[in-house]
């Protein structure tokens, strides 16, 4: 498939956005009737990002650019979904700008950005090497901020678009032996809220997707397997379905699975009780 700049349907909004209408607490009004256009998915060479790319391809009408580090795996996913591939390490200087230029060149102004790139690290904080702290912060937080910073002006200029940030329930409840990962995912959630407020008067929406445990290579890569029996891992396709549903409905915040919002709410509403329960039951 060729990836000539895509400019069809620019007159109509292609994804639901907040616009200037008053927004509900967890959902922004759906102004759009059709969902198609151009999209960038980061972290698309594996796991959740690859599932999101396949989900968008199954919907049809999305002209996509995929980013990941590993060129072989990224090209394989890109070939499956007829997308353009931009293999690159997002923590390298200026990659965000080069990626943005590539997207504009290949598929035109982005209607949708799904930021999935991320790494984990598990173990005692005091045993965490400085290089690992830097990598988790650089990939999960800084590179996401830089990519979003590149794309938001193009979306606000068109008064249309949606940014989807893949967070983690670790950022909502804080997970033992995942201190830095929990901290950066919490930061991503607060960033999503703050950016949404800032963009409220524009047609650009921000969705924070908060998965629990997902069956991907994430755990093998961080070098510590997921061994708990509960919560049970969900398939990455389930997260991809939630992403698509959130894009279609203009949702601000989505937990996957949905029941995970309960511990997050208990922690928010009764932090002392939550800390007791978390200490007692892990
Ligand atoms: N799996 C879970 O249980 C879980 C739960 C909650 C949230 N999440 C979040 O979901 C997102 C996706 O994770 P996943 O489970 O799909 O893990 P995964 O299968 O390991 O995929 C991670 C993706 O991030 C990319 N990536 C890592 N470092 C990068 C860098 N420096 N530059 C560019 N791309 C980079 C990887 O590219 P390469 O493969 O090419 O290196 C890969 O495409 C992450 O943000 C993660 O924190 C995962």
């Amino acid at each position: 498939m060729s990836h000539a700049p895509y400019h069809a349907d620019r007159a109509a909004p292609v994804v639901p956005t907040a616009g200037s209408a008053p927004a509900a607490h967890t959902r922004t009004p759906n102004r759009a009737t059709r969902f198609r256009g151009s999209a960038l998915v980061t972290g698309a060479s594996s796991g959740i990002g690859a599932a999101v790319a396949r989900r968008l391809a199954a919907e049809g009408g999305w002209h996509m650019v995929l980013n990941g580090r590993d060129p072989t795996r990224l090209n394989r996913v890109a070939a499956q979904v007829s997308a353009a591939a931009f293999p690159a390490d997002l923590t390298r200087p200026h990659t965000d700008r080069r990626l943005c230029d590539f997207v504009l060149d290949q598929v035109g102004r982005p209607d949708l950005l799904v930021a999935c790139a991320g790494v984990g690290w598990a173990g005692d904080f005091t045993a965490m090497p400085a290089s690992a702290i830097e990598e988790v912060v650089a990939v999960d937080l800084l590179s996401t901020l830089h990519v979003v910073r590149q794309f938001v002006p193009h979306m606000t200029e068109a008064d249309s678009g949606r940014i989807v940030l893949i967070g983690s329930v670790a950022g909502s409840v804080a997970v033992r032996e995942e201190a830095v990962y929990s901290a950066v995912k919490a930061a991503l959630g607060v960033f999503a809220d703050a950016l949404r407020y800032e963009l409220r008067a524009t047609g650009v929406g921000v969705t924070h997707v908060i998965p629990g445990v997902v069956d991907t290579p994430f755990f093998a890569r961080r070098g510590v397997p997921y061994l708990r029996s509960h919560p049970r891992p969900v398939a990455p396709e389930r997260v991809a379905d939630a992403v698509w549903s959130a894009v279609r409905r203009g949702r601000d915040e989505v937990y996957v699975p949905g029941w995970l919002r309960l511990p997050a709410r208990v922690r928010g509403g009764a932090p002392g009780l939550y800390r007791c329960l978390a200490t007692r039951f892990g």
Side-chain angles (χ1 to χ4, degrees):
M1 175 182 178
S2 85
H3 296 283
Y6 177 69
H7 298 297
D9 298 320
R10 282 288 180 259
V14 290
V15 292
T17 57
S20 53
H25 181 58
T26 59
R27 188 182 297 185
T28 46
N30 182 350
R31 284 200 320 211
T33 53
R34 292 180 297 119
F35 309 100
R36 51 182 292 182
S38 56
L40 166 66
V41 183
T42 72
S45 51
S46 180
I48 295 169
V52 167
R54 290 191 195 100
R55 186 69 175 86
L56 293 178
E59 286 303 320
W62 286 100
H63 296 246
M64 285 186 279
V65 170
L66 308 184
N67 166 254
R69 270 179 315 190
D70 184 289
T72 306
R73 276 189 286 105
L74 185 69
N75 285 330
R76 195 180 307 136
V77 178
Q80 282 170 1
V81 301
S82 299
F86 186 86
D89 183 335
L90 289 176
T91 66
R92 295 277 163 82
H94 311 305
T95 305
D96 52 334
R97 192 169 40 73
R98 291 196 298 112
L99 175 58
C100 188
D101 289 346
F102 184 82
V103 169
L104 293 172
D105 180 60
Q106 294 289 307
V107 296
R109 182 188 62 76
D111 299 296
L112 175 64
L113 161 60
V114 186
C116 295
V119 294
W121 195 91
D124 285 348
F125 175 64
T126 50
M128 189 171 184
S131 60
I133 296 176
E134 271 151 33
E135 187 190 12
V136 171
V137 175
V139 180
D140 295 13
L141 184 59
L142 290 180
S143 71
T144 302
L145 302 187
H146 286 305
V147 170
V148 171
R149 173 67 185 82
Q150 286 291 331
F151 283 84
V152 164
H154 296 284
M155 291 181 173
T156 53
E157 192 180 273
D159 214 25
S160 167
R162 182 154 291 271
I163 294 156
V164 179
L165 303 174
I166 305 296
S168 166
V169 74
S172 301
V173 300
V175 172
R176 190 179 59 200
E177 297 182 347
E178 296 186 30
V180 176
Y181 182 71
S182 299
V184 295
K185 290 298 187 179
L188 211 54
V190 175
F191 170 68
D193 281 347
L195 185 64
R196 191 180 308 111
Y197 296 141
E198 192 173 314
L199 297 176
R200 189 127 283 176
T202 77
V204 183
V206 182
T207 297
H208 183 208
V209 173
I210 306 158
V213 184
V214 189
D215 187 10
T216 72
F218 176 87
F219 298 98
R221 287 186 185 179
R222 74 177 186 178
V224 178
Y226 179 73
L227 296 173
R228 297 162 62 120
S229 56
H230 195 75
R232 295 205 1 220
V234 302
E237 288 72 24
R238 186 153 168 199
V239 183
D241 285 347
V243 167
W244 174 244
S245 168
V247 168
R248 238 172 9 92
R249 298 166 66 192
R251 300 284 301 272
D252 291 346
E253 184 180 87
V254 181
Y255 281 86
V256 191
W259 67 264
L260 279 175
R261 79 172 60 83
L262 291 176
R265 288 201 177 142
V266 172
R267 181 176 183 251
L273 172 67
Y274 184 86
R275 274 194 286 272
C276 280
L277 293 171
T279 306
R280 171 96 172 74
F281 298 108

